[in-house]
Amino acid sequence: MKTAIVGKIIPLVPTMPEEFDGYVIVEENQIIDVGIGQPDGYFDKVVDGPKQVVIPGLTNTHTHAAMSMFRGVADDLQLQAWLEKEIFPREDKLTDEIVYWATKLAIAELLLGGVTCFADMYFFMDEVAKAVSETGIRACLSKGLVSFSGEKEIEVGRAFCQKWQGQGKGRIHTMLGPHAIYTCPPAYMEKVIRVASDRHIPIHMHVSETKKEVSDCISKNGGTPVAVLNKLGAFEVPFIAAHCVHLEDEDMEIMAKKGVVPSLNVSSNFKLASGMPRVEAMEKAGLKMTIGTDGPASNNDLNMFEEMRWTSFCAKVTGNPQSVPAYRALEMATKNGAHAMGWKNLGIIAPGQIADIVILDYSSPRLNPVYSCLSHVIYAGDPSDVMHVMVDGEFVVWNRKITTFDVQETIEKVNEFAKDFA
Ligand SMILES: [Zn+2]
């Protein structure tokens, strides 16, 4: 199967123009050619349209997909009160079946919003992996670990990695998911880190999300979460650090040196009044930032267009409008995310890359006139602009409709379960 996609291409390849009228040729699950002008030769399918803009698939590096079940159930609270009073008691009532359907609901939202790959940390992860497998999306999955569930859960998390790594025709990667330093204290983290380094498994963890997390960690453990984790050896394996709202300069230095990848989740941080990450300082420190939404109960959506824009604004608001321009924001939400989740040949539009591609429709009044397609992706774009989505060479969204599963059935199932969570 050979497909030609024609339109304005934004390849994110430094040696190519930032955007150009051209084509992308996909064969099986790979991009085999990218060029300026019209494609030449025979194709099984040609995807052409007057206002098409072609970008790499968006990558969401931190979420809890099944928390779509709790979207809007409790708003306007700070993180600790929100978690302890509203979320944990409801999570106690979750079942494998509910997690499966709630994850599918989130996957529908992600795909329709141009997200081709996401990093998830939750529980009943076999169900999440099953949903990923069936729906055609790509994901990096980790079982959430907390010390009060006991050390045997670390083994469950490891076994999950062993079972699912590379499954879903290679679309599933896995990590260990210790929740945070306040739920996984140093003695417990030591054991997680030992498993991670013995088995070469990356780690996905919440880091320095709130001021309280940092000050409690300093008083209990004698250092910031980053300093403590570094001392324990956590950064000797690839590491996604979600949030990173309250980093000291020294934390950034450590993270840059160790290649720790922040996942910025700005709208969740704003909504839960956790604070604003120092994006420009992180950029200056040389951190390879990525972008995530956090769970849909604290955001309250999985809108990566919004997150890209907010991340860029967070960098600018301290006084430098040139910080995190559109190109950089899109890199964070595509290439950087793909690499952080373990796919090194994913995230740009170039020959030899895996074909995760999003085709946007620029016919909306909001996207006209067009002086720069790239500018609109970041500063005016919206999930409703997403027309077709290809993951691993397959169209999983075509004409704004999911092709791989019944979204209406999914919505009805989740609404039925929701009656028990009000
Ligand atoms: Zn989170």
Side-chain angles (χ1 to χ4, degrees):
M1 178 83 177
K2 213 169 173 182
T3 304
I5 301 167
V6 182
K8 187 76 85 174
I9 316 292
I10 302 177
L12 292 180
V13 177
T15 53
M16 297 182 95
E18 204 167 86
E19 54 189 73
F20 57 88
D21 289 310
Y23 58 85
V24 182
I25 311 298
V26 174
E27 189 166 23
E28 305 308 330
N29 74 338
Q30 272 212 341
I31 296 170
I32 59 164
D33 194 13
V34 180
I36 295 170
Q38 287 294 316
D40 209 14
Y42 171 79
F43 304 102
D44 300 288
K45 189 179 180 107
V46 177
V47 184
D48 199 354
K51 293 271 190 178
Q52 285 190 172
V53 174
V54 184
I55 62 171
L58 301 176
T59 56
N60 179 345
T61 51
H62 180 69
T63 190
H64 316 281
M67 289 185 84
S68 62
M69 197 68 239
F70 306 131
R71 190 197 320 260
V73 81
D75 294 318
D76 309 327
L77 293 166
Q78 282 203 320
L79 178 70
Q80 289 307 324
W82 175 78
L83 268 180
E84 287 161 19
K85 293 197 180 118
E86 301 290 348
I87 297 301
F88 289 159
R90 287 184 173 89
E91 284 182 334
D92 285 343
K93 295 202 285 181
L94 286 174
T95 63
D96 50 359
E97 191 189 9
I98 296 173
V99 167
Y100 170 77
W101 287 102
T103 301
K104 272 178 81 162
L105 184 75
I107 290 173
E109 184 184 353
L110 288 164
L111 287 175
L112 291 168
V115 178
T116 52
C117 184
F118 69 104
D120 202 60
M121 180 202 293
Y122 213 53
F123 28 81
F124 296 112
M125 289 307 290
D126 281 332
E127 299 301 313
V128 177
K130 200 171 103 189
V132 168
S133 229
E134 291 170 6
T135 56
I137 200 166
R138 185 182 304 280
C140 179
L141 307 177
S142 51
K143 178 182 162 39
L145 301 171
V146 286
S147 65
F148 55 76
S149 297
E151 284 174 21
K152 64 181 189 315
E153 285 296 292
I154 302 173
E155 173 52 25
V156 177
R158 186 209 60 76
F160 170 79
C161 294
Q162 190 175 8
K163 180 176 173 189
W164 287 100
Q165 176 69 25
Q167 294 300 306
K169 297 182 184 162
R171 288 181 289 103
I172 295 178
H173 280 181
T174 54
M175 293 189 172
L176 287 174
H179 172 257
I181 198 72
Y182 59 94
T183 46
C184 300
Y188 183 84
M189 272 312 291
E190 261 176 24
K191 297 188 171 70
V192 175
I193 293 162
R194 195 171 310 141
V195 172
S197 36
D198 286 354
R199 307 282 181 145
H200 308 289
I201 305 173
I203 293 177
H204 179 188
M205 185 173 184
H206 298 85
V207 176
S208 300
E209 181 175 0
T210 62
K211 262 191 192 146
K212 183 173 164 27
E213 175 189 333
V214 176
S215 58
D216 285 357
C217 187
I218 291 170
S219 56
K220 280 184 194 155
N221 308 311
T224 64
V226 170
V228 170
L229 289 167
N230 185 43
K231 212 168 162 190
L232 291 168
F235 303 147
E236 303 308 317
V237 295
F239 195 107
I240 295 179
H243 297 291
C244 297
V245 180
H246 299 281
L247 295 184
E248 305 293 338
D249 291 348
E250 299 75 37
D251 294 337
M252 292 184 202
E253 270 173 43
I254 292 170
M255 291 171 74
K257 200 169 141 206
K258 296 287 184 179
V260 177
V261 175
S263 171
L264 302 174
N265 302 227
V266 174
S267 55
S268 168
N269 303 146
F270 275 50
K271 183 166 186 282
L272 294 165
S274 300
M276 185 171 74
R278 297 165 59 208
V279 181
E280 200 194 2
M282 292 160 93
E283 181 81 339
K284 281 185 180 155
L287 291 178
K288 206 173 175 191
M289 286 178 280
T290 68
I291 299 176
T293 55
D294 206 2
S298 61
N299 186 312
N300 289 352
D301 57 24
L302 298 164
N303 180 346
M304 281 293 288
F305 287 88
E306 182 179 68
E307 294 303 324
M308 290 192 286
R309 193 175 311 151
W310 278 53
T311 303
S312 169
F313 290 174
C314 273
K316 298 176 195 310
V317 74
T318 47
N320 177 9
Q322 291 178 334
S323 189
V324 185
Y327 190 94
R328 190 88 182 107
L330 189 58
E331 265 188 337
M332 289 180 188
T334 53
K335 182 178 79 173
N336 288 7
H339 292 186
M341 290 186 274
W343 282 279
K344 299 302 175 196
N345 58 339
L346 180 72
I348 58 172
I349 297 183
Q353 295 279 306
I354 300 171
D356 286 11
I357 293 169
V358 170
I359 302 169
L360 304 169
D361 168 20
Y362 270 37
S363 60
S364 159
R366 182 172 30 75
L367 299 181
N368 284 277
V370 184
Y371 305 107
S372 156
C373 289
L374 176 61
S375 167
H376 282 357
V377 174
I378 303 302
Y379 300 123
D382 183 85
S384 62
D385 306 325
V386 173
M387 190 162 55
H388 312 305
V389 178
M390 176 182 268
V391 179
D392 217 36
E394 302 279 342
F395 280 107
V396 289
V397 174
W398 184 255
N399 271 334
R400 297 184 166 89
K401 295 221 163 16
I402 302 254
T403 62
T404 49
F405 64 103
D406 186 339
V407 178
Q408 196 50 42
E409 180 197 19
T410 308
I411 291 171
E412 283 165 17
K413 285 271 189 193
V414 171
N415 281 336
E416 196 53 40
F417 293 129
K419 290 174 186 164
D420 289 335
F421 291 104

